[in-house]
Amino acid sequence: MLLDQYNIIKLRTAADEDCKTSILVIYTGGTIGMDYDENGSLVPFDFEVLLEKVPELTRFKFWLTMLVPFEPIDSSNMGTEHWLSMAWLIEELYDEFDGFVILHGTDTMAYSASAMSFLLQKLAKPVILTGAQIPISAHRTDARENLIGALEIASMQESRQQKIIIEDGSEVIKEQNVALVPEVCIYFDNLLLRGNRSKKVQTLNFTAFESQNYPHLAEAGIFINYTKSAILPIPRGNLDFKSAMDDNVILWKIHPSMNPKYYLPMLENENLKGVVLESFGSGNIPTEKWIIDVLEKITKRGVIVVNVSQCAGGYVLQGHYETSHALTQIGIISGNDLTSESALTKLMYLFGNYDNRTEKEKIIELLQTPLCGEMTLF
Ligand code: ASP
């Protein structure tokens, strides 16, 4: 999705001549942008008439530009190419805008938010993903609140004393306006969550997302209350855009009574570079010989296997039970409290940017290092 695949719409807001804040909204698709046609079917909504549906937007005191793709997609069809395109758009337009809001389907929003956090490292501006459970055109839509909240957060700045590097290379302290939330986040139903800690947890209620291993970054009520201690600091240096991902990675969910006949061909595929092993509880798997044998065989061959829990909260503690003891011995990496979404997209990012044959140790080191707040070190 590059720039010429979008319609660019500048919305009329209450920004005056002196206003220096501008926000970019990138629409991608999903329920939020749907409308009912005469037969009652959901079809893409015409964003040219967004102000009719959300007139509150005219009251914002910042500039608002929208990128509307000619072909919006259901987020079930999102993948590495879309994540790279979205991250590329943000890097291209980074200096022109102070914050970014991405309107996205809810189904894979947590994957996209995780992926974007790895692709946009040293991010100093907010990138807020939001969507809706009910289309923007419906009476009881949650899209309006989600969009307005996301925009407000994306535009929030505060004055701070910052170290600035000047032309001769020396550092000076200056008072500067900086973003309050310099992170990739999901804002949904009054909660602001770190993107790479989020999971979709509901298909029916409005509270569709949670981040059970990390505090909410903010909660919106009468005021928006930010938990500043949980928000990433403003990074030093420039945005570090990563332009590659590699999808030779699988997510392997462990379940009772696994039949090797189906799983062995998948794990023994010679192109496989990484496995996210979704284990039981605190990192346990059945002690059946074929499972340990195949994991040992592929790790010896150079495949990187990271162990994450199927549970929505808590973390992996390899060796706590006999059923996870062997995993450490055969070189399986503990993913601590990484979500599956984060582990999968982190591996895709690492294999896209480092060579798994010559830089395996580096990949393992980065996998075990929090790069943008995605995991806790115990
Ligand atoms: N299937 C839709 C999507 O993820 C669901 C939604 O937007 O809530 O694109």
Side-chain angles (χ1 to χ4, degrees), residues 206-317:
F206 287 137
T207 311
F209 291 90
E210 251 310 343
S211 68
Q212 286 172 344
N213 280 325
Y214 198 74
H216 302 152
L217 303 187
E219 288 189 23
I222 292 179
F223 302 107
I224 300 182
N225 286 318
Y226 293 87
T227 306
K228 289 196 181 172
S229 57
I231 297 172
L232 289 174
I234 299 281
R236 291 174 71 112
N238 296 331
L239 177 71
D240 184 7
F241 166 59
K242 311 287 183 183
S243 57
M245 288 193 111
D246 183 333
D247 63 5
N248 284 299
V249 175
I250 58 165
L251 176 57
W252 190 32
K253 183 167 183 152
I254 297 297
H255 59 85
S257 205
M258 298 179 82
N259 190 329
K261 156 167 103 196
Y262 301 111
Y263 290 116
L264 285 180
M266 178 177 89
L267 292 160
E268 285 171 345
N269 186 304
E270 59 182 25
N271 296 318
L272 184 67
K273 293 184 179 171
V275 178
V276 177
L277 177 75
E278 241 199 31
S279 57
F280 301 132
S282 55
N284 307 309
I285 61 163
T287 48
E288 276 176 66
K289 189 168 174 330
W290 75 266
I291 300 183
I292 301 296
D293 284 353
V294 71
L295 287 174
E296 184 165 20
K297 184 169 150 195
I298 62 171
T299 44
K300 276 205 179 124
R301 202 185 80 212
V303 174
I304 295 177
V305 183
V306 58
N307 183 7
V308 301
S309 175
Q310 290 174 15
C311 300
Y315 54 90
V316 161
L317 198 55

Side-chain angles (χ1 to χ4, degrees), residues 183-195:
E183 298 201 25
V184 178
C185 300
I186 290 182
Y187 178 75
F188 216 92
D189 195 35
N190 297 322
L191 298 180
L192 182 69
L193 311 173
R194 176 165 297 159

